[in-house]
Amino acid sequence: MICKTPAISLRDLVVRFRDFTAVDHLSMDVAAGQLFGFLGPNGAGKTTTIRVLTGSQQPTSGHVEVGGYRIPHHFDRAKQIFGFVPDTENHIDEFTGRENLELFADLYEVPHRRIDELLERMELSEAQHIRAADYSKGMRRKLLICREILHSPQVLYLDEPTANLDAHSTRLVRELLRELASDGTTVFLTTHNMEEVEQICDQVAILCRGKLVDLDTPAAFVSRHAERFVDAQFERDGQVVREEISMDDAAGRNRLSDIVRSEPCLTMHSREFNFQDAFLKITGEQFD
Amino acid sequence: MPRTRIVRILLRRETKRLQKSPSALAMLGLLTAIAFLMALGTGQEAAAPDVPADMGTIVVVVDRYTDAVKRVQTQVPEDQDVRFELRERLTGKQGQLLGPRMWHIVEWRNHDRTDRTAIEVHYVGESHAAIQPFLDWFHPAMHDVMRGRPWVEHSLVRRYTENWSSQGVRNASIGDLMKTEVLGTALLLMVQFFCCCHLLVSFTAQDREQKTLAALALTTASLPEIMLAKAIFHLSLSVIGSASIVAILAPSLLINPVFWLTVLLGSVSTMCVGTCIATLAKNQAAAGMLALCYMMAGAILFFLASKFTVFAACKAFTVECYSFMLLLFAFKHPSTIMFLRAIVPMVLLTVAWVFVARRCFFRHGWK
């Protein structure tokens, strides 16, 4: 379900660290209930943007709104409606998994049966009485996600949510995120896992050198930036020749026709162009 | 305004952390055990016989002549029953006259602005005859020092009218003075340091390093509430610890307002020092090391101040200096002027530390 009202609104956001501009006039809206992928190569300004949204970084200039509350001016109200899953787990290590959740549930005034629900959902029920320090990396990650969705936030920021998770847990988290989005939670996700973005995101923004490069659905990205190739192997003068032929222009298409007509073809494969290729193409262009 | 519910939840969290920290609990147990051992030692000493219950408290007000008296002490003939010596205590300028058989504090130094030295000899009992042996020793000794000049006036002041019990005399005697006052004061300062500096530094730096503080700050809890909960927890721990120590060593102090005021001010200022260390250090290990350095630096400064005047001036800028004085005063019932001379700078230093710690925490504390 995608609503028209933006849950997150950035207008001309600039963040500078002395001479270095980490975020450069970034403007975008994220609709409520959307699963939004925020991508970019290392150092693109993703983390800085999230830090601004979570109030731990003052913007140099620009207008930032989350759930209708201006940040940093009304941060105290804004922080009550969002959850933040950072890239590193920040549990109280000497507490058990359950005690960690109980502390946050008490702060948010959430009934403890919600803890049971989430522990069950994330398959952590059996480990709930083990110290968080003794959890595996994947379990710590899942516990962190549980903690940040305890209060059913309107907006959920996630930084690499499926890092260190096994295939089963990854699927579990992806399903949960989709479910949250369909229930109206705006999920703002940064990740380097392109497959994940392609699978679950409704919309994707690509950031490069602090600037917004593109904003669209993953499918639209692929179709707009797709490059079609055919890898052909054929015999010529007794030798095996391999050729990569682009299908995006007439010359390439004619070349393929010639080969098919005149040379004995051994193999012929069309190359699929996925979201990762599109991402690399876009960010590569930016670096060029 | 901080919300009680949030502060209560955060307080519960700090308490739970303490419960799960065996080293912290062991340290608290160790400090209490030391207090018990000291109390046990006091009890054994109390069994020593031959304590004249009516011997006077002799308070000698001297100034620069103290050093001169010290020089002649070897010339003092030993009496079979009473022998007086002069020993140095606290600093080089402070003199203390005491006799092993006298069982009483004999002090004091007073920098009279006129060039006149006055001695007040305070005694207990119906007659000042009890302190006559002291006067018999002190007068000729000082006469030698001053080469026969009339150098001093003295007056005898009857200070306490009630007859002290033997235990009461022993409690004020020099043997117990060392244990109950100096060691007790040192123990109280250690409790304050441990609860308000070491533990706070350890917990807060851990929170920062693990980014737990940042996570809490993103919940409904505000930074002032987090800070308040920490302050209440460590202050309560320090107050409870100090009260336990005093209950073991000198229970009468529990109704002494000077003691409570000193504990409160000392704990608050130590907590502020701890907050600054925890927020400025890079990680938990560095913060722990800094806290240890702070304690060591304080101890070294106190030692140097007793030897060199220049360090005495530096010591005057430490909260511990006034904490120490005030706690000693609490044990010894000081004069109002002496109390004010310690309490005013202590309050000023505490306010300054609160200001600095607040700025440090809000600027760096949770990042």
Side-chain angles (χ1 to χ4, degrees):
Chain A
M1 185 183 72
I2 297 175
C3 307
K4 295 285 179 194
T5 328
I8 301 169
S9 174
L10 304 174
R11 289 280 170 275
D12 265 331
L13 175 67
V14 178
V15 183
R16 280 201 194 96
F17 300 104
R18 295 189 182 171
D19 297 337
F20 177 69
T21 306
V23 182
D24 193 0
H25 298 280
L26 176 65
S27 296
M28 64 180 193
D29 284 334
V30 180
Q34 204 171 52
L35 214 158
F36 190 87
F38 194 54
L39 311 181
N42 291 332
K46 305 184 298 290
T47 306
T48 309
T49 308
I50 287 202
R51 283 165 63 86
V52 170
L53 289 168
T54 53
S56 57
Q57 175 70 52
Q58 291 280 329
T60 309
S61 65
H63 182 101
V64 180
E65 253 182 44
V66 175
Y69 298 114
R70 258 198 93 172
I71 289 179
H73 308 84
H74 302 124
F75 180 71
D76 279 346
R77 278 187 226 164
K79 72 177 185 174
Q80 297 185 18
I81 62 159
F82 69 70
F84 174 42
V85 179
D87 54 346
T88 49
E89 295 82 30
N90 48 10
H91 300 298
I92 304 166
D93 279 345
E94 54 270 50
F95 282 20
T96 63
R98 189 179 180 86
E99 283 169 342
N100 266 288
L101 294 183
E102 279 175 352
L103 171 69
F104 282 77
D106 290 342
L107 287 170
Y108 285 120
E109 292 184 273
V110 171
H112 285 200
R113 65 172 179 278
R114 169 92 173 136
I115 296 173
D116 297 321
E117 277 171 28
L118 288 171
L119 286 171
E120 187 76 30
R121 178 74 202 265
M122 294 303 253
E123 299 176 355
L124 286 172
S125 294
E126 284 179 19
Q128 61 178 306
H129 299 300
I130 295 173
R131 279 185 348 136
D134 298 330
Y135 274 26
S136 71
K137 281 187 177 179
M139 286 162 82
R140 287 170 69 82
R141 197 96 200 116
K142 289 197 286 184
L143 185 68
L144 188 59
I145 294 171
C146 281
R147 191 186 81 189
E148 292 305 319
I149 59 172
L150 261 176
H151 59 301
S152 309
Q154 288 178 34
V155 177
L156 180 64
Y157 305 114
L158 301 111
D159 199 350
E160 295 284 345
T162 53
N164 297 316
L165 291 184
D166 59 36
H168 173 72
S169 301
T170 302
R171 200 179 67 186
L172 207 70
V173 170
R174 286 178 188 169
E175 282 172 7
L176 178 77
L177 295 182
R178 275 258 51 105
E179 199 178 296
L180 286 169
S182 62
D183 288 345
T185 304
T186 307
V187 180
F188 190 89
L189 170 82
T190 72
T191 180
H192 292 293
N193 187 339
M194 298 300 150
E195 185 200 338
E196 186 167 86
V197 174
E198 200 170 8
Q199 278 183 16
I200 64 171
C201 287
D202 298 317
Q203 202 163 33
V204 174
I206 294 179
L207 206 65
C208 203
R209 289 175 174 170
K211 287 184 176 164
L212 182 68
V213 178
D214 214 336
L215 177 72
D216 216 328
T217 62
F221 264 113
V222 176
S223 68
R224 277 200 289 122
H225 296 280
E227 287 176 357
R228 292 167 297 165
F229 287 95
V230 169
D231 284 324
Q233 262 188 348
F234 50 90
E235 262 187 23
R236 184 185 290 161
D237 305 330
Q239 284 193 324
V240 177
V241 179
R242 187 175 173 171
E243 203 168 314
E244 184 184 75
I245 304 151
S246 171
M247 294 286 99
D248 289 333
D249 49 42
R253 286 193 288 271
N254 291 340
R255 172 75 189 129
L256 185 63
S257 306
D258 291 347
I259 289 171
V260 170
R261 267 200 304 271
S262 56
E263 313 281 0
C265 276
L266 298 174
T267 59
M268 198 170 282
H269 298 287
S270 66
R271 204 188 305 162
E272 294 298 322
F273 196 85
N274 59 17
F275 183 76
Q276 180 161 336
D277 296 320
F279 174 78
L280 288 172
K281 187 182 169 191
I282 295 164
T283 53
E285 276 171 9
Q286 288 300 312
F287 278 108
D288 290 342
Chain B
M1 269 300 280
R3 290 156 295 176
T4 322
R5 184 185 68 82
I6 301 284
V7 175
R8 215 171 47 229
I9 293 166
L10 293 170
L11 261 174
R12 216 162 47 220
R13 170 208 176 221
E14 297 289 344
T15 314
K16 209 179 254 182
R17 282 181 87 180
L18 180 69
Q19 284 169 4
K20 288 174 186 271
S21 172
S23 55
L25 290 175
M27 188 65 192
L28 285 173
L30 182 70
L31 290 171
T32 316
I34 292 172
F36 270 116
L37 286 174
M38 280 170 59
L40 194 67
T42 307
Q44 280 172 348
E45 209 157 274
D50 195 24
V51 177
D54 59 346
M55 187 57 83
T57 301
I58 303 172
V59 181
V60 183
V61 184
V62 290
D63 56 7
R64 58 199 159 88
Y65 299 107
T66 309
D67 287 338
V69 176
K70 267 190 280 185
R71 281 199 296 275
V72 297
Q73 62 178 300
T74 51
Q75 300 167 18
V76 178
E78 278 191 22
D79 188 270
Q80 195 179 351
D81 297 320
V82 182
R83 183 169 59 85
F84 299 103
E85 317 169 7
L86 196 65
R87 286 182 193 161
E88 193 179 9
R89 182 169 156 263
L90 296 178
T91 74
K93 285 196 168 179
Q94 293 171 341
Q96 191 179 55
L97 291 161
L98 42 101
R101 300 287 298 278
M102 208 169 73
W103 289 94
H104 264 294
I105 312 157
V106 183
E107 12 186 4
W108 193 265
R109 76 278 182 221
N110 182 25
H111 299 283
D112 200 345
R113 290 195 186 282
T114 65
D115 196 23
R116 202 169 65 95
T117 302
I119 296 177
E120 281 188 4
V121 182
H122 295 230
Y123 66 95
V124 178
E126 292 303 313
S127 160
H128 60 76
I131 56 166
Q132 197 55 48
F134 164 75
L135 294 174
D136 290 347
W137 166 77
F138 188 69
H139 282 179
M142 290 308 287
H143 191 267
D144 283 352
V145 171
M146 300 308 294
R147 300 186 196 288
R149 277 186 288 139
W151 53 276
V152 69
E153 293 175 7
H154 78 263
S155 54
L156 302 180
V157 181
R158 190 173 153 192
R159 188 147 197 190
Y160 303 103
T161 51
E162 75 275 19
N163 284 323
W164 284 6
S165 66
S166 292
Q167 185 61 50
V169 173
R170 276 195 293 270
N171 283 345
S173 70
I174 195 65
D176 286 340
L177 170 78
M178 289 305 289
K179 284 193 179 69
T180 315
E181 289 186 13
V182 179
L183 293 181
T185 301
L187 202 58
L188 287 171
L189 287 180
M190 278 170 71
V191 169
Q192 266 177 34
F193 171 79
F194 179 72
C195 298
C196 296
C197 187
H198 176 80
L199 214 55
L200 182 133
V201 162
S202 173
F203 282 3
T204 311
Q206 189 187 21
D207 276 346
R208 275 186 66 218
E209 198 172 347
Q210 295 179 349
K211 299 193 186 298
T212 322
L213 214 53
L216 286 174
L218 287 182
T219 64
T220 49
S222 65
L223 269 183
E225 283 163 346
I226 296 170
M227 197 179 180
L228 183 67
K230 277 187 176 292
I232 292 174
F233 173 74
H234 291 283
L235 190 64
S236 310
L237 201 62
S238 172
V239 166
I240 293 168
S242 302
S244 310
I245 300 280
V246 161
I248 295 164
L249 288 178
S252 61
L253 271 193
L254 289 173
I255 51 163
N256 187 336
V258 176
F259 165 74
W260 288 112
L261 189 65
T262 312
V263 166
L264 279 177
L265 286 173
S267 300
V268 168
S269 52
T270 313
M271 217 157 55
C272 292
V273 174
T275 306
C276 291
I277 291 173
T279 51
L280 295 176
K282 274 194 169 178
N283 52 38
Q284 196 185 356
M289 188 56 78
L290 272 176
L292 190 70
C293 287
Y294 171 77
M295 187 184 72
M296 292 300 293
I300 291 169
L301 185 64
F302 268 55
F303 173 75
L304 290 175
S306 69
K307 302 284 174 196
F308 309 103
T309 325
V310 63
F311 290 104
C314 300
K315 196 181 86 170
F317 290 98
T318 64
V319 177
E320 288 76 11
C321 168
Y322 303 105
S323 259
F324 195 87
M325 283 165 74
L326 281 169
L327 284 171
L328 271 177
F329 289 168
F331 277 102
K332 287 165 66 177
H333 311 291
S335 67
T336 315
I337 292 171
M338 297 297 276
F339 170 72
L340 288 175
R341 274 173 59 184
I343 197 77
V344 171
M346 180 140 182
V347 169
L348 290 176
L349 278 171
T350 306
V351 170
W353 270 115
V354 168
F355 178 76
V356 172
R358 197 177 170 279
R359 277 192 75 87
C360 267
F361 185 81
F362 285 110
R363 205 172 258 199
H364 311 282
W366 63 289
K367 289 178 182 168

